[in-house]
Each structure stands twice: as C-alpha cells, then as structure tokens.
Amino acid sequence: MKKYYSKKLRNEKGYIFPLTSFFILLLLLFTYHQIQQIQNQKRIHQLNDEQYKLEMLYQKAYASILEEQEAPPYSYTFPDGTINITIPTNEQDRNIYIIKMSTDTGGYREVHVEIPD
C-alpha cells in the first residue's frame, strides 16, 4: 500500500509555506482587529455611563437650586457623585450659578447657569 499523504507534504518548491504564512497573517490581523473593536466598544460604554451620571447630577443640581431658599454655596453628595454650587462674587445682581459636578468614577463638569426669576 502506497503512502500518498507523505508525498503531498514533501513539497520542496516553496509554495506551501508562503501561502500558509499569508493565511496566518490574515488570521492574526483579523483577531487583532476584533480585539481593538471590543476595547473601543468597552471604552465608549464607559464614557456613555459617565456622561449619563453627569447629566443626572446636573438635573439634581438644577432642581435643588429651584427649591433652595437661602443663598449659595451649596454642597450635595450623592451615591454617584458630588455637586458644588456657588455664585460668582461680581454677579450678585443676576442669577448666575456655577455648578461643579464630579462623579465617583472621576468624571468632571463645570456649568454656568443663569436661572430666570
């Protein structure tokens, strides 16, 4: 009985190695691309969560400004972050507030808001 399989693997013309290395390279590039895509999606998800937390803190700060009767500065602490509300010293005749918000994950935003009477 002849061994046909061992004869096919003995290709000494150099055709199989470049072809297999090309396919391996394509496979590695595809794998690297998928890994980068997953990392980018994870980072976008983290940024969206942080943006959502900052927006919720802003809404809480705006509502608290409307409810408070005394003059600022105010400071609030929530499970998802902290809020500091102040009034600039040269803007006492207008209702401009500086809202500084920071999340528990390190996000930060400063907003200047003018609230109508």
Side-chain angles (χ1 to χ4, degrees), residues 22-36:
F22 178 72
F23 285 128
I24 290 172
L25 179 66
L26 284 178
L27 181 65
L28 288 175
L29 287 175
F30 180 73
T31 305
Y32 177 74
H33 173 70
Q34 292 297 329
I35 291 171
Q36 288 296 327

Side-chain angles (χ1 to χ4, degrees), residues 15-77:
Y15 180 72
I16 292 178
F17 178 70
L19 186 62
T20 55
S21 64
F22 178 72
F23 285 128
I24 290 172
L25 179 66
L26 284 178
L27 181 65
L28 288 175
L29 287 175
F30 180 73
T31 305
Y32 177 74
H33 173 70
Q34 292 297 329
I35 291 171
Q36 288 296 327
Q37 191 173 8
I38 289 171
Q39 288 176 347
N40 287 339
Q41 286 178 353
K42 183 178 176 183
R43 180 69 178 143
I44 287 172
H45 181 68
Q46 289 172 347
L47 290 174
N48 283 339
D49 284 346
E50 194 164 316
Q51 188 70 26
Y52 179 76
K53 286 180 184 179
L54 285 170
E55 183 63 29
M56 291 305 294
L57 287 174
Y58 173 74
Q59 294 297 327
K60 291 175 186 176
Y62 193 83
S64 67
I65 289 172
L66 296 177
E67 291 176 0
E68 289 289 338
Q69 300 298 325
E70 58 189 46
Y74 312 128
S75 182
Y76 302 102
T77 303

Side-chain angles (χ1 to χ4, degrees), residues 70-111:
E70 58 189 46
Y74 312 128
S75 182
Y76 302 102
T77 303
F78 297 102
D80 53 350
T82 59
I83 301 171
N84 293 322
I85 302 171
T86 58
I87 293 180
T89 56
N90 57 357
E91 299 289 337
Q92 293 295 334
D93 55 342
R94 297 173 63 192
N95 291 334
I96 295 179
Y97 297 90
I98 299 174
I99 303 172
K100 296 179 182 177
M101 300 165 285
S102 61
T103 62
D104 56 346
T105 56
Y108 179 78
R109 184 189 295 173
E110 182 175 326
V111 180

